[in-house]
Amino acid sequence: MQPVILKDLENKPKGLLMKSYTLLEIADKADVSQKFLEREIASGNLQGERVNNKWCVSGVSFRKWRRKRSLSKSKSNQIQQTLWEIAVDDQNNSKKSKKDDVVEWIDISKDWNRKDFKKEYSYLDLFSGAGGISLGFEMAGLKGVAAVEIMESAVDTHKTNFDHPVVSGDICKDSTKKILYEIVDKKENCGVDIIAGGFPCQGFSMSGYRVVNDKRNNLYEEMLDIVSNLNPKFIVMENVVGLRTMLGGKVEEKIIQDYKEIGYKVNVTELCSADYHTPQLRNRVIFIGNRLGKANYYPRPLLDKDRYLTTKDAIENLMRHPDDTEFNHVVTRHNEDMKKRLSEVEEGKSLYKNYADAWKKCPWDKPSCTIKENHGGVNIHPRLPRVLTAREMARIQSFPDNFLFRGTKKWQLVQIGNAVPPFLAKAIGLALRKSLESESKTQSC
């Protein structure tokens, strides 16, 4: 029996309309993006259901949706021109939104290779994931008091690579916070100097729904609650650039105002990981605040664009590396047809024309595009007909080879894709040290 072609569904008997289709199949046939379809489902315009954690749409639902839209191809293209598609080029977005930022830059170049720091300043890492912020802060000579994380495999990864305790649980629950507070209470000296949090970005992401009432958007309020209770000297928050444009900038303003009300002066700007020895063009919005009346220093870029590290620099010597599970380097086995398709993708382009957010081929002689794990589609190797391994992704994120990721390969990819690049965190940590060191010893406690 020949497969049913979606464009012919309206002329088929009702029995055939019981077949379900993936969003990728519908996106390909209807010439729209999967993200657009997800938004249609979220808004109720398209009826779909989750099967094995993937959206499926029946032929009946597809037909009703297509009739309801009743739009010309040109109007359809106009609808697809949403913010996430406009914002594919993070560099251009940075130039537009950074111009009004009030930033005090500080030179960290002399401290970049230092190994002799006294670990007199402490931090908490909330929403820690695998530990990108923790690792960077450790490199900057800061001392971890604790981390909080809900993903089981990320907790295991954190425990494998750090000495400080990890609170495993939902940060929204009082029981989780109680454990965290008990750990801090046992710490000697002056409490916690820094609380950092890369709160989950899915609700804010330009590649997501951008639904303002997404409950994940309010997780920063849980961090606010912890900050108000522990009263650290400095706070650091990291998120995607898309946060800055939500509600015309009102979301960013609310975050700044909320922290002002509990005594913190907050500055915000965007940093690019490639500026700090990371072979990846990954832009993130960084909030830094303090209650001491001190400057919120940001790390001055260490590299000019013509000196950026490249994908080749990071992963070339792994091209013939044998599979090694413990090293997190296990090659995905694609069939011959997929290999051919992957080999034909141009650098900087995606395998799927309507899904530019994943299955994207990294450039070889330039910094990588943003590393992410998205709905099973990861970045494509620039020279080999396959997707990147977890270890290759980790190198592009600036994780060292002795940093080991736990969990199945799927969850390793999720952890790496969600992580703050450690070198970016290191640069921020070094800038924080400059601020803390400017404080007199008599005011340190």
Side-chain angles (χ1 to χ4, degrees):
M1 180 178 176
Q2 293 296 316
V4 177
I5 305 300
L6 286 175
K7 65 181 181 181
D8 296 331
L9 280 175
E10 295 179 6
N11 299 321
K12 296 294 181 181
K14 289 185 177 180
L16 292 177
L17 297 179
M18 298 305 292
K19 180 176 174 57
S20 291
Y21 296 89
T22 66
L23 294 193
L24 178 59
E25 290 174 313
I26 293 178
D28 188 49
K29 300 301 181 183
D31 196 26
V32 297
S33 70
Q34 290 190 68
K35 290 299 180 183
F36 176 68
L37 293 172
E38 288 174 350
R39 286 191 293 273
E40 289 290 272
I41 291 173
S43 66
N45 292 332
L46 175 63
Q47 299 300 312
E49 62 176 331
R50 285 279 191 179
V51 178
N52 295 326
N53 206 33
K54 292 184 179 181
W55 284 111
C56 290
V57 177
S58 69
V60 172
S61 295
F62 173 76
R63 183 179 65 171
K64 289 180 179 179
W65 170 77
R66 203 170 197 179
R67 282 180 174 174
K68 186 178 179 180
R69 290 182 76 215
S70 190
L71 297 168
S72 66
K73 187 173 182 180
S74 60
K75 185 68 178 284
S76 176
N77 288 339
Q78 184 180 3
I79 287 175
Q80 290 180 65
Q81 198 65 19
T82 55
L83 284 172
W84 79 270
E85 290 168 309
I86 295 170
V88 168
D89 187 344
D90 284 341
Q91 294 283 20
N92 288 338
N93 275 277
S94 295
K95 292 176 183 176
K96 291 177 182 178
S97 55
K98 288 173 64 176
K99 62 181 180 180
D100 297 324
D101 294 343
V102 177
V103 182
E104 292 197 52
W105 300 100
I106 195 162
D107 184 10
I108 61 167
S109 59
K110 293 181 179 178
D111 291 331
W112 186 255
N113 294 315
R114 277 187 61 183
K115 306 290 184 184
D116 60 343
F117 292 113
K118 291 181 180 179
K119 293 195 172 184
E120 69 268 44
Y121 304 119
S122 61
Y123 70 89
L124 289 180
D125 188 356
L126 310 181
F127 317 103
S128 66
I133 288 179
S134 284
L135 181 58
F137 279 11
E138 295 284 334
M139 292 174 177
L142 305 175
K143 180 173 61 177
V145 175
V148 182
E149 174 56 37
I150 193 171
M151 185 192 300
E152 213 172 293
S153 56
V155 170
D156 291 342
T157 294
H158 211 105
K159 289 179 178 178
T160 298
N161 294 282
F162 298 98
D163 294 328
H164 56 249
V166 186
V167 180
S168 177
D170 186 349
I171 201 169
C172 299
K173 294 183 177 179
D174 290 340
S175 57
T176 302
K177 293 177 185 175
K178 180 182 177 182
I179 296 171
L180 177 65
Y181 296 153
E182 288 173 349
I183 293 172
V184 175
D185 284 343
K186 293 178 182 177
K187 182 183 178 296
E188 299 176 357
N189 301 326
C190 311
V192 177
D193 294 302
I194 305 162
I195 291 183
F199 50 86
C201 65
Q202 289 91 337
F204 289 127
S205 178
M206 283 184 172
S207 61
Y209 302 144
R210 293 177 61 86
V211 177
V212 176
N213 64 359
D214 188 321
K215 66 181 181 180
R216 294 170 298 185
N217 290 346
N218 296 322
L219 284 174
Y220 87 92
E221 292 181 347
E222 301 299 337
M223 181 173 174
L224 179 71
D225 180 55
I226 292 172
V227 168
S228 65
N229 277 282
L230 296 180
N231 203 31
K233 296 168 185 173
F234 279 79
I235 57 169
V236 179
M237 292 178 285
E238 174 268 352
N239 215 290
V240 294
V241 174
L243 177 149
R244 308 202 71 182
T245 58
M246 290 193 72
L247 292 180
K250 295 298 183 183
V251 172
E252 179 180 302
E253 291 175 12
K254 175 174 171 53
I255 293 173
I256 293 172
Q257 182 61 32
D258 283 347
Y259 279 91
K260 181 180 179 180
E261 290 177 1
I262 62 170
Y264 288 83
K265 172 195 171 186
V266 175
N267 292 92
V268 58
T269 195
E270 297 160 34
L271 299 179
C272 178
S273 59
D275 290 338
Y276 309 99
H277 296 280
T278 301
Q280 179 186 181
L281 292 174
R282 188 186 191 99
N283 291 290
R284 287 297 184 265
V285 59
I286 305 295
F287 296 82
I288 299 179
N290 78 89
R291 59 173 176 80
L292 306 174
K294 297 292 181 180
N296 292 317
Y297 290 133
Y298 282 83
R300 184 173 293 137
L302 297 172
L303 299 177
D304 297 326
K305 290 184 179 181
D306 58 358
R307 295 175 55 219
Y308 279 172
L309 298 179
T310 68
T311 304
K312 177 182 179 181
D313 294 330
I315 68 172
E316 183 179 28
N317 69 353
L318 291 176
M319 290 176 66
R320 294 178 179 81
H321 196 288
D323 280 11
D324 187 336
T325 302
E326 184 62 24
F327 185 54
N328 308 126
H329 185 71
V330 178
V331 172
T332 300
R333 308 299 175 186
H334 304 289
N335 61 40
E336 292 304 315
D337 178 64
M338 178 59 83
K339 287 182 181 179
K340 183 176 183 298
R341 294 174 64 195
L342 293 175
S343 66
E344 293 173 349
V345 176
E346 298 178 25
E347 290 185 12
K349 302 292 185 180
S350 173
L351 177 65
Y352 300 106
K353 64 178 181 179
N354 293 315
Y355 199 6
D357 214 31
W359 293 92
K360 194 170 184 178
K361 181 170 285 189
C362 304
W364 187 240
D365 293 315
K366 296 178 182 179
S368 169
C369 45
T370 300
I371 286 293
K372 58 178 66 178
E373 196 287 330
N374 193 343
H375 304 294
V378 300
N379 299 69
I380 302 171
H381 196 290
R383 290 292 181 269
L384 298 174
R386 61 170 175 79
V387 295
L388 298 178
T389 67
R391 179 53 54 190
E392 288 166 336
M393 288 176 63
R395 282 199 181 178
I396 291 172
Q397 279 277 62
S398 76
F399 281 96
D401 284 351
N402 63 356
F403 193 99
L404 303 178
F405 296 88
R406 300 308 185 194
T408 63
K409 182 178 177 180
K410 170 187 173 180
W411 292 111
Q412 291 171 19
L413 298 177
V414 170
Q415 292 172 59
I416 297 167
N418 288 341
V420 175
F423 278 4
L424 176 59
K426 176 182 178 180
I428 296 168
L430 290 172
L432 289 169
R433 285 192 67 92
K434 297 287 189 181
S435 297
L436 286 162
E437 287 168 354
S438 70
E439 184 185 11
S440 69
K441 292 183 179 180
T442 58
Q443 294 176 319
S444 62
C445 292

